[in-house]
Amino acid sequence: MKKFSILAGIALLASCQPAKEKALYSSEAFTIYPDKVVQGDNVARILSPTHIISNYKSTRSATFSRLIKFKFSINEKDNEMPAGTDHWLIIGDEHQSPVMKFGEGPRTPAVSPGTYLPVNYNYTLRVDMSEVLKQFAEKGYYQSFDGTKIAKVDFKGIYIAGGAEPLSWDFVNLDEKGLKLEDPDADSIFTITVKLNPYNPDDYKDKEWKPSLDLSNKPAYHSDQPLVDALYNLSLEEARKNIESDSTFRTGAKWGGVWTRDISYSIYLAFAYHEPGVAMISLLKKVKNGRIIQDTGSGGAWPVSSDRTVWALAAWEIYKVTGDKDWLRKAYEIISNTLRDDEKVLDDPATHLYKGESSFLDWREQTYPKWMSNMDIYVSENLGTNAIHYQAHIIAAAMAKELGLPVDASASMAAAIKKGINEHLWIAEKGYYGQFLYGRNGITLSPKSETLGEALTVLFDIADAKRAGSILEKMPLTAFGATCVFPQIPGIPPYHNNAIWPFVQSYWNLAAAKAGNEKALNHGLAAIYRAGALFLTNYENMVAETGDYFGTEINSDRMLWSMAGNLAMVHRVFMGMHFETDGIHFAPAIPQNYTGKKTLSNFHYRHAQLTITVTGTGNTIASVKLDGEKSDKAFIPIDLEGSHTIEIEMDNQPFSSSPVNIVQNAFTLPDPQVKLKGQQLAWEPVAGAQEYLIYKNGDSFTTTKNVDYTITDLSVASYKVSAVDRNGFPSFSSEPVLFYPPEALQIIEMENFAGMAKHPFVSFSGKGFSEITVQKNRSIEMNIPVEESGDYWIDFRYANGSGPWNTDNKCALRSLYTNEEYTGTVVFPQRGKDEWSDWGYSNSYRIHLHKGNNRLRLVFEEWNNNMNLETNTAMIDYLRLIRL
């Protein structure tokens, strides 16, 4: 009966619609009206500000290809075949695959049959692991395609990864997803049965939303766009549902707990003024040892992941809303402690940028080339993360000023970071910033755009007015919104890659409003309102090409930062509210189609209760009245008490004629797989490549149409190669290869200086290896003799089995000193849970050594405490020196 009433309502309203209803936004993909959203046969209708109905149906199950691509995996790592080489099958009527051999890929490329698999299709996949098991028995390890030795003692199981649900390319979570193969007959044939194209009929029913909670004590919003009113109310209710019994915000319907970046971005958008008390308690949950917690993440969290200072944005926003000086003092101490550690560990003196993973883009394969290890991610210098570090220093300076303390150190560091961003990340020919600097012994700028970072540079005034305008005009957008990055990585399923995140879209919209780009703002509002109305919840993400919430690797409804973004469109865009230490400043930005009167009532600000009305369109205020009297500015001071009204009339003029760059979604080419043989770089052809760009020490220096390059300069140098497509866009570069003459290399065994650890680990060099913990070898002194004065590359071969590649908080780190001068932090990220025989290299430094003995020290300093505090452990095999 309920389904019938929803369908009848849709039919009745359709018959009553006028012949031509003016749209708020229209494109070939979808249309937004004041009271409905239409995307093909999918329609959401607003029956009232508290009632929405939607018949949205995902096409996911109906278009599930019979072609499936996958790889097998040892220990949940991508170690079977090179990137871009996958097994593939076209499933007919059979329910079992042929037996495939581990490490042997198909001999012909996959071609889609253009037909689709039935739902809930059981299928058994089989792989022959006899060669791997033989090598384990004979050698004690299996050597994979890239030379990596997987120790028998570290073996945990065989898994399958892929892009056909329920398969996943999320290698590090395959066990959790139930994708481990078994060998019940002990015949070396491992098997797994999966249900392909999983289908739940409940996901395809018509839906409706009505509030189930009393929202009468919350700010109320009314406008001539019922769509906006209803989604505002839906988001208010979802926010209330996300408040836990301990007065903290949960992250989403599917994810409990408080996460530093999620809560911080959400508080900045909406919850500093909607729920300041809950916001404070939530932020304090993310403090340990007097410092901001970096949540569990890549390689064992901080310092590989390093955007924890986003906490400062939220803390400062709460103070500006509440004026709570006790909160200010507490927050300032926490932020100051954190910034001191980060400066020591993250600052790159060559660029004045901070190292570490892209803010919120914390799934390695989704944002980085596959060859990049967690060490490489630590070395990278990202746009969004640096924007956050810049603003954290600006906030620290502002807090210090408010408390009557010196501001010089924070202000000067902020200026240095801002200069670094503008000097090293701006791409003049594109008109926006690049994604990140990456590499090893020479870093290169990825020319991809990164939406959150681009938006933050506008909001934080890192970009000047000219650059801000250019970013909003030229950064590529897609039909359903702004993708996290552009263009996309090929062969990686949607999540951060090839996806749109409403909270990121919200920050982009705030930047569009500030820069005065009406077309960008109108497109961005439509992206948020289409998804909210059709899905009847605030999902975390959606697929870029389809706008569907089905099809991304992980998703949840009722996501905190998505609902915060929805609320922010009312408060920060239509009402134009900006909280400062002296009060609320108003600067509404209302596209021409969002006409009429907008009223926000019952808004509590300190000791005042406000009713705010904005009439008209545009981004220029024509007149203001406070309590019926004309005012010379749209402003509410902090000392206002009681009930008041502020009425703002806009000038009804377009913002500007600035264009917007809406394009078809696009993918780069795969990065080449480069090998060094003697003096020759060689790689397999990349389909679609017009030429190859060759880098030396991070800088591009030549191109070739060949698939090899002969090194003629025999000096030490780092080389890598990108494939360039027909549009002139380069792929990610290949993994760097370091060319050096044999006599330039010096291996120095660590057990000669720090004693030999007594662990049964294998595949080390020399006689053994040394162990570093918070108790053992807190300071290791190494006297290193060299025959020539000059510059050297230095790094360490190490193992860290304290946790998996992608999560936990046990990244090991130490401070390196060269002849008594502080060189920097050496990081030893986690490489796999209990995989202590998996050896890799730390980050490297270029140091100057003089002829004769040199004193090097590896020291555990106070700023080397990781997020775990207790486990900060690594095995160090040797020190590697390469003379330049």
Side-chain angles (χ1 to χ4, degrees):
M1 189 66 187
K2 183 177 179 183
K3 181 176 180 181
F4 173 79
S5 66
I6 295 174
L7 292 173
I10 291 175
L12 177 62
L13 283 170
S15 67
C16 298
Q17 289 298 325
K20 276 196 172 181
E21 186 178 3
K22 187 173 181 181
L24 299 175
Y25 176 86
S26 185
S27 71
E28 292 183 3
F30 64 93
T31 302
I32 304 288
Y33 295 97
D35 62 352
K36 66 180 177 181
V37 174
V38 179
Q39 182 184 328
D41 294 331
N42 298 308
V43 181
R45 294 189 182 276
I46 314 305
L47 303 185
S48 77
T50 56
H51 192 185
I52 314 173
I53 55 177
S54 173
N55 69 350
Y56 182 80
K57 304 292 186 300
S58 171
T59 61
R60 174 192 62 160
S61 290
T63 56
F64 195 103
S65 177
R66 289 181 179 272
L67 170 66
I68 65 168
K69 296 182 179 180
F70 53 94
K71 278 182 175 175
F72 297 103
S73 160
I74 301 173
N75 294 350
E76 299 180 274
K77 292 183 178 178
D78 189 359
N79 49 21
E80 184 190 12
M81 296 181 290
T85 303
D86 304 324
H87 296 287
W88 62 265
L89 292 170
I90 295 175
I91 300 174
D93 297 326
E94 80 282 1
H95 287 265
Q96 181 172 269
S97 76
V99 176
M100 294 157 278
K101 285 204 167 211
F102 186 89
E104 293 186 11
R107 297 181 180 179
T108 57
V111 178
S112 175
T115 55
Y116 306 114
L117 195 68
V119 299
N120 296 329
Y121 195 88
N122 288 321
Y123 196 78
T124 300
L125 295 120
R126 302 183 294 169
V127 61
D128 180 355
M129 298 299 298
S130 57
E131 179 59 30
V132 174
L133 299 177
K134 179 182 176 184
Q135 289 194 35
F136 278 163
E138 294 178 353
K139 302 178 181 178
Y141 62 84
Y142 169 74
Q143 187 162 326
S144 65
F145 69 92
D146 62 356
T148 300
K149 294 179 179 179
I150 303 165
K152 179 182 178 180
V153 294
D154 288 346
F155 177 66
K156 289 180 287 191
I158 307 300
Y159 301 84
I160 186 169
E165 196 177 3
L167 304 185
S168 168
W169 289 114
D170 181 13
F171 279 89
V172 291
N173 287 311
L174 296 177
D175 191 66
E176 181 181 312
K177 295 175 185 291
L179 296 173
K180 184 176 183 179
L181 286 76
E182 302 294 343
D183 180 13
D185 302 326
D187 60 357
S188 303
I189 307 298
F190 285 69
T191 66
I192 186 172
T193 299
V194 296
K195 184 177 290 185
L196 296 171
N197 197 9
Y199 176 83
N200 180 357
D202 290 341
D203 293 333
Y204 294 84
K205 292 180 179 178
D206 295 336
K207 295 179 175 64
E208 69 175 333
W209 170 80
K210 291 180 180 179
S212 57
L213 301 178
D214 179 11
L215 303 174
S216 59
N217 67 335
K218 303 304 294 181
Y221 179 74
H222 302 282
S223 74
D224 292 341
Q225 293 80 42
L227 169 70
V228 179
D229 301 2
L231 290 176
Y232 174 85
N233 289 327
L234 181 151
S235 298
L236 271 184
E237 182 181 53
E238 292 201 326
R240 288 287 296 274
K241 288 181 175 180
N242 273 30
I243 299 176
E244 303 279 48
S245 59
D246 65 351
S247 296
T248 62
F249 276 117
R250 69 181 288 117
T251 301
K254 294 181 180 178
W255 298 310
V258 183
W259 294 80
T260 301
R261 66 171 68 91
D262 299 55
I263 190 64
S264 299
Y265 280 121
S266 302
I267 289 171
Y268 178 89
L269 284 169
F271 296 123
Y273 50 86
H274 263 290
E275 297 285 354
V278 177
M280 283 184 187
I281 295 169
S282 298
L283 282 187
L284 291 177
K285 285 278 187 179
K286 307 311 299 179
V287 177
K288 187 176 182 180
N289 193 34
R291 288 155 176 81
I292 303 164
I293 294 172
Q294 183 77 47
D295 289 315
T296 56
S298 300
W302 187 84
V304 176
S305 298
S306 63
D307 65 341
R308 59 180 175 162
T309 45
V310 68
W311 192 95
L313 275 67
W316 180 234
E317 204 67 19
I318 291 171
Y319 172 70
K320 289 190 293 182
V321 170
T322 65
D324 187 331
K325 280 291 177 73
D326 289 338
W327 169 256
L328 180 66
R329 281 186 283 270
K330 184 181 296 183
Y332 177 69
E333 182 180 1
I334 293 164
I335 293 166
S336 297
N337 291 340
T338 304
L339 293 182
R340 280 195 297 272
D341 288 355
D342 281 357
E343 181 181 352
K344 281 285 192 182
V345 174
L346 303 175
D347 180 41
D348 179 352
T351 61
H352 292 297
L353 295 173
Y354 274 34
K355 302 170 186 175
E357 191 167 47
S358 304
S359 183
F360 106 90
L361 300 171
D362 60 343
W363 186 338
R364 186 167 58 101
E365 295 89 345
Q366 288 281 333
T367 312
Y368 299 92
K370 284 193 172 183
W371 58 262
M372 282 184 71
S373 68
N374 290 314
M375 174 276 289
D376 294 307
I377 292 174
Y378 165 74
V379 170
S380 67
E381 298 170 5
N382 167 258
L383 175 65
T385 301
N386 273 278
I388 290 297
H389 284 297
Y390 164 79
Q391 191 66 6
H393 283 88
I394 289 291
I395 287 168
M399 285 181 163
K401 183 178 180 181
E402 197 78 1
L403 293 168
L405 301 171
V407 301
D408 292 350
S410 294
S412 61
M413 180 57 73
I417 297 171
K418 179 177 179 178
K419 182 180 179 184
I421 291 172
N422 282 304
E423 285 187 357
H424 297 285
L425 300 181
W426 181 255
I427 308 175
E429 60 270 24
K430 290 189 176 294
Y432 49 81
Y433 294 98
Q435 180 184 19
F436 48 62
L437 295 167
Y438 69 116
R440 288 176 189 161
N441 307 94
I443 50 180
T444 303
L445 178 60
S446 166
K448 295 186 178 191
S449 60
E450 190 245 296
T451 301
L452 180 60
E454 310 285 351
L456 295 180
T457 65
V458 175
L459 294 173
F460 300 157
D461 295 318
I462 295 167
D464 60 25
K466 183 178 179 181
R467 285 188 174 182
S470 176
I471 291 167
L472 270 296
E473 290 179 14
K474 296 181 178 179
M475 196 196 85
L477 305 172
T478 65
F480 290 104
T483 56
C484 296
V485 297
F486 190 94
Q488 316 306 323
I489 305 172
I492 300 296
Y495 181 61
H496 294 137
N497 186 61
N498 194 22
I500 296 160
W501 287 51
F503 104 86
V504 174
Q505 183 71 63
S506 300
Y507 276 93
W508 176 257
N509 292 358
L510 297 183
K514 179 176 180 177
N517 190 313
E518 185 170 356
K519 291 184 177 68
L521 178 57
N522 205 25
H523 172 264
L525 290 169
I528 287 176
Y529 292 145
R530 179 202 71 87
L534 289 176
F535 306 156
L536 295 185
T537 186
N538 288 284
Y539 270 106
E540 183 166 49
N541 50 56
M542 63 195 91
V543 179
E545 283 104 341
T546 63
D548 193 359
Y549 66 91
F550 274 125
T552 62
E553 287 283 88
I554 303 172
N555 210 348
S556 175
D557 56 319
R558 222 174 72 215
M559 281 302 295
L560 190 69
W561 46 13
S562 299
M563 68 183 75
N566 211 316
L567 294 169
M569 296 305 96
V570 166
H571 292 274
R572 294 193 178 275
V573 177
F574 294 140
M575 296 290 107
M577 301 170 77
H578 298 271
F579 298 89
E580 300 299 342
T581 55
D582 60 347
I584 307 175
H585 298 253
F586 294 87
I590 304 174
Q592 295 298 298
N593 291 336
Y594 288 79
T595 57
K597 181 183 288 188
K598 298 166 180 62
T599 302
L600 183 68
S601 58
N602 196 33
F603 186 84
H604 293 266
Y605 172 66
R606 300 200 181 188
H607 300 293
Q609 182 175 330
L610 306 175
T611 298
I612 306 154
T613 301
V614 179
T615 305
T617 62
N619 66 343
T620 301
I621 295 173
S623 66
V624 182
K625 289 182 180 180
L626 180 61
D627 296 328
E629 301 291 329
K630 286 188 177 179
S631 176
D632 60 351
K633 58 183 177 179
F635 173 68
I636 296 291
I638 58 175
D639 57 357
L640 195 67
E641 297 184 2
S643 297
H644 299 273
T645 62
I646 183 166
E647 302 166 76
I648 301 171
E649 290 274 352
M650 306 305 293
D651 69 353
N652 294 309
Q653 297 299 309
F655 297 9
S656 68
S657 58
S658 300
V660 66
N661 186 23
I662 300 176
V663 300
Q664 283 192 336
N665 195 25
F667 293 78
T668 64
L669 296 175
D671 49 291
Q673 308 295 304
V674 176
K675 303 291 184 184
L676 177 62
K677 300 176 182 178
Q679 292 176 220
Q680 189 174 63
L681 303 173
W683 57 94
E684 293 295 319
V686 175
Q690 304 301 298
E691 63 180 5
Y692 300 93
L693 182 58
I694 301 175
Y695 305 83
K696 181 179 180 181
N697 296 329
D699 299 322
S700 60
F701 81 106
T702 190
T703 60
T704 181
K705 293 185 180 297
N706 300 325
V707 290
D708 55 33
Y709 175 78
T710 301
I711 298 171
T712 55
D713 178 0
L714 301 185
S715 59
V716 176
S718 175
Y719 292 90
K720 52 187 184 176
V721 180
S722 290
V724 181
D725 66 19
R726 58 188 175 85
N727 297 315
F729 205 96
S731 70
F732 277 134
S733 78
S734 63
E735 182 172 7
V737 293
L738 191 60
F739 175 83
Y740 54 88
E743 63 272 14
L745 174 66
Q746 189 173 351
I747 298 294
I748 300 164
E749 297 291 344
M750 187 57 62
E751 62 268 24
N752 295 334
F753 304 103
M756 195 179 301
K758 294 177 169 45
H759 293 292
F761 310 145
V762 298
S763 300
F764 52 84
S765 169
K767 297 178 180 178
F769 49 87
S770 299
E771 180 178 12
I772 55 172
T773 72
V774 292
Q775 292 88 23
K776 298 177 183 176
N777 289 317
R778 288 176 63 93
S779 179
I780 301 173
E781 185 171 323
M782 299 159 279
N783 289 310
I784 307 300
V786 296
E787 295 180 357
E788 297 179 23
S789 295
D791 288 352
Y792 292 76
W793 284 115
I794 182 174
D795 59 12
F796 297 84
R797 188 172 190 251
Y798 81 98
N800 182 348
S802 299
W805 270 81
N806 66 317
T807 188
D808 219 329
N809 58 6
K810 303 183 184 77
C811 179
L813 58 157
R814 296 295 185 271
S815 294
L816 177 65
Y817 293 84
T818 305
N819 292 323
E820 305 310 322
E821 290 189 7
Y822 179 65
T823 302
T825 297
V826 182
V827 298
F828 309 102
Q830 297 166 188
R831 295 182 60 83
K833 178 65 174 172
D834 297 323
E835 295 180 39
W836 289 101
S837 297
D838 184 328
W839 302 90
Y841 287 99
S842 72
N843 57 310
S844 62
Y845 285 101
R846 182 170 180 156
I847 62 173
H848 185 80
L849 300 178
H850 52 72
K851 183 178 180 179
N853 282 326
N854 294 265
R855 187 181 182 221
L856 272 61
R857 290 188 298 130
L858 201 60
V859 182
F860 182 80
E861 300 281 16
E862 176 63 25
W863 59 83
N864 296 141
N865 274 299
N866 60 19
M867 296 298 99
N868 185 273
L869 294 181
E870 295 178 2
T871 302
N872 196 321
T873 300
M875 308 299 148
I876 305 182
D877 189 11
Y878 59 71
L879 177 158
R880 180 171 64 170
L881 281 179
I882 299 175
R883 188 181 69 249
L884 301 179

